[in-house]
């Protein structure tokens, strides 16, 4: 059974033209692939939204797994209200509070509005704004070398 969290993430991803494969959503560009991954907790019906960027200059791929992405973070590292986002990603809580899924959608859209242009090209990632943006992301050595 699909949870409300899964449904809302799918709704946002589809609305952005992302392609689904193996529990992740992908948005491919000429130099990068943005990965949105929904990970379920092993201990509850709570979810984590992981974001990754695959750099095609480091290696060709069509649907790379998020955990192997060259640049990675969780959505909670990109928002001010981390506790609130954790609450919105709890399927049990969200099902007990009908109507709150709209806030989850808005939060996902807001984060993706910020992320998508910053990770869409190597030039954007190399820019001063891009470098500041990446301070809240894990960046592999290969990515650091490519980005200079």
């Amino acid at each position: 059974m699909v949870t409300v969290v899964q449904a809302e993430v799918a709704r946002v991803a589809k609305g952005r033209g992302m392609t689904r494969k193996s529990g992740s959503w992908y948005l491919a560009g000429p130099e990068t692939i943005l990965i949105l991954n929904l990970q379920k907790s092993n201990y509850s019906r709570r979810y984590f939204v992981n974001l990754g960027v695959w750099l095609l200059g480091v290696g060709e791929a069509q649907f790379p797994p998020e955990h192997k992405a060259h640049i990675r973070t969780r959505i909670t590292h990109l928002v001010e209200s981390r506790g609130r986002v954790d609450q919105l990603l709890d399927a049990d809580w969200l099902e007990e509070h009908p109507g709150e899924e709209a806030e989850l959608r808005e939060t996902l859209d807001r984060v993706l509005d910020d992320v998508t242009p910053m990770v869409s090209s190597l030039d954007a990632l190399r820019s001063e704004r891009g470098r500041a943006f990446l301070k809240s992301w894990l960046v592999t050595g290969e990515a650091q070398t490519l980005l200079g």
Side-chain angles (χ1 to χ4, degrees), residues 13-142:
K14 283 180 189 176
R16 291 175 171 274
M18 299 180 90
T19 303
R20 185 174 189 265
K21 174 122 173 124
S22 300
S24 292
W25 294 88
Y26 297 86
L27 185 62
E31 299 177 307
T32 64
I33 300 171
L34 174 61
I35 307 162
L36 185 154
N37 170 262
L38 187 62
Q39 177 186 357
K40 186 185 172 300
S41 168
N42 291 332
Y43 307 105
S44 67
R45 294 182 67 219
R46 176 164 286 168
Y47 290 85
F48 306 96
V49 175
N50 304 311
L51 296 172
V53 181
W54 184 268
L55 302 175
L56 294 168
V58 174
E60 288 295 318
Q62 188 174 14
F63 298 108
E66 179 275 331
H67 69 276
K68 292 189 176 184
H70 303 114
I71 304 170
R72 303 174 59 212
T73 195
R74 280 203 168 144
I75 193 174
T76 50
H77 294 121
L78 302 176
V79 297
E80 289 182 26
S81 54
R82 178 182 265 176
R84 178 63 174 163
V85 172
D86 280 338
Q87 189 176 48
L88 292 169
L89 290 170
D90 183 329
D92 289 332
W93 185 89
L94 207 54
E95 288 169 6
E96 293 169 7
H97 297 85
E100 296 294 322
E101 66 275 1
E103 185 178 350
L104 175 57
R105 268 194 319 275
E106 291 166 8
T107 300
L108 291 168
D109 273 327
R110 191 170 45 254
V111 168
L112 290 171
D113 283 347
D114 290 342
V115 168
T116 303
M118 294 309 305
V119 304
S120 64
S121 72
L122 296 179
D123 284 343
L125 289 166
R126 289 178 178 136
S127 72
E128 185 176 329
R129 186 169 178 243
R131 292 192 180 281
F133 182 78
L134 289 178
K135 288 185 179 188
S136 58
W137 295 64
L138 299 172
V139 182
T140 66
E142 293 173 314

